[in-house]
Amino acid sequence: DSGVVQSPRHIIKEKGGRSVLTCIPISGHSNVVWYQQTLGKELKFLIQHYEKVERDKGFLPSRFSVQQFDDYHSEMNMSALELEDSAMYFCASSLANSDYTFGSGTRLLVI
Amino acid sequence: QQQVRQSPQSLTVWEGETAILNCSYEDSTFDYFPWYHQFPGESPALLIAIRPVSNKKEDGRFTIFFNKREKKFSLHIADSQPGDSATYFCAASEAGNTGKLIFGLGTTLQVQP
């Protein structure tokens, strides 16, 4: 069990650019959620998938889309990046409706 | 409007003391209340969680006290150690969905040796 794996760890993009963040959940975990953390503090719920179906959406900008694949890994496609998108992006996974384990996160810097 | 309020924003205690971190919430439909801690440069990690069927849950030095009537819950860290120094987040979610967590803004705990 290697935990929740996120890639890349760090990424720098120019304003207006695009980026893809990847999340590999713990083996067997079909629930994947994404959170954004800004300034090392506030954690905002972005979106949740369960069994490849979107279950709930929170603060996910319309410029971003998230998809969960057959093997339950998840990808966040980010476009038209803005300076305010600079943040840590965490995904987390769980079995059914149990406790979630967070990945190590991706630090996105938009310049 | 912050649905989950956390206090204090920062807290300093001496090694061996009990640190008390507080949270309150607005939504009566919340029924899962976890505490996460986060060390600098790391991801949040689940520490302990409670559901309203209980008013207290213990795990070693960590205890959650829950007051459903007042919509408040607190984390008590007994015998605080310097290694407990971190940011602590309380959170809440609705029944049937532990993934959609509403987090508080965090309490930065410093334990002085």
Side-chain angles (χ1 to χ4, degrees), chain A residues 3-103:
Chain A
V4 179
V5 178
Q6 289 188 247
S7 62
R9 289 298 305 272
H10 309 273
I11 189 164
I12 300 174
K13 290 289 183 178
E14 291 189 349
K15 182 180 174 181
R18 305 171 65 92
S19 187
V20 179
L21 307 186
T22 300
C23 172
I24 301 174
I26 291 172
S27 179
H29 285 192
S30 56
N31 285 276
V32 176
V33 299
W34 287 88
Y35 286 88
Q36 179 196 60
Q37 185 173 38
T38 53
L39 301 175
K41 276 287 194 175
E42 186 172 14
L43 282 151
K44 288 184 180 178
F45 171 79
L46 296 179
I47 193 167
Q48 177 186 27
H49 283 79
Y50 174 64
E51 290 286 346
K52 299 176 288 183
V53 175
E54 180 182 309
R55 180 176 182 180
D56 210 332
K57 184 180 289 186
F59 292 95
L60 190 76
S62 59
R63 301 173 286 106
F64 297 2
S65 64
V66 177
Q67 186 176 1
Q68 188 177 31
F69 296 86
D70 289 344
D71 62 354
Y72 299 135
H73 90 271
S74 178
E75 291 183 0
M76 180 184 295
N77 281 273
M78 312 165 86
S79 61
L81 287 168
E82 300 177 357
L83 298 179
E84 300 73 46
D85 296 328
S86 296
M88 283 293 293
Y89 291 84
F90 292 104
C91 74
S93 73
S94 86
L95 282 170
N97 193 35
S98 60
D99 299 328
Y100 276 75
T101 300
F102 278 70

Side-chain angles (χ1 to χ4, degrees), chain B residues 1-8 21-27 30 35 71-73 90-92 102-107:
Chain B
Q1 181 183 0
Q2 193 69 20
Q3 294 188 60
V4 176
R5 293 192 176 89
Q6 193 167 348
S7 64
L21 292 68
N22 301 297
C23 273
S24 63
Y25 62 97
E26 302 283 333
D27 195 333
F30 289 157
W35 283 88
K71 296 182 184 176
K72 292 181 178 179
F73 58 110
C90 63
I102 309 299
F103 282 89
L105 295 181
T107 294

Side-chain angles (χ1 to χ4, degrees), chain B:
Chain B
Q1 181 183 0
Q2 193 69 20
Q3 294 188 60
V4 176
R5 293 192 176 89
Q6 193 167 348
S7 64
Q9 187 174 357
S10 63
L11 176 66
T12 299
V13 300
W14 294 104
E15 183 175 356
E17 292 185 333
T18 296
I20 300 175
L21 292 68
N22 301 297
C23 273
S24 63
Y25 62 97
E26 302 283 333
D27 195 333
S28 299
T29 64
F30 289 157
D31 90 329
Y32 173 71
F33 302 91
W35 283 88
Y36 282 78
H37 62 176
Q38 185 176 29
F39 296 97
E42 297 186 11
S43 57
L46 179 67
L47 194 56
I48 187 172
I50 194 168
R51 293 185 185 271
V53 293
S54 304
N55 56 21
K56 180 181 176 181
K57 185 170 183 181
E58 291 181 80
D59 185 355
R61 297 185 293 109
F62 302 94
T63 302
I64 298 179
F65 291 93
F66 184 81
N67 186 322
K68 187 174 181 178
R69 183 179 61 83
E70 295 187 7
K71 296 182 184 176
K72 292 181 178 179
F73 58 110
S74 61
L75 176 69
H76 292 222
I77 305 174
D79 187 25
S80 296
Q81 302 297 309
D84 294 329
S85 298
T87 299
Y88 290 77
F89 293 95
C90 63
S93 70
E94 294 179 353
N97 189 356
T98 58
K100 186 179 180 181
L101 291 168
I102 309 299
F103 282 89
L105 295 181
T107 294
T108 300
L109 173 67
Q110 185 74 29
V111 181
Q112 300 276 35

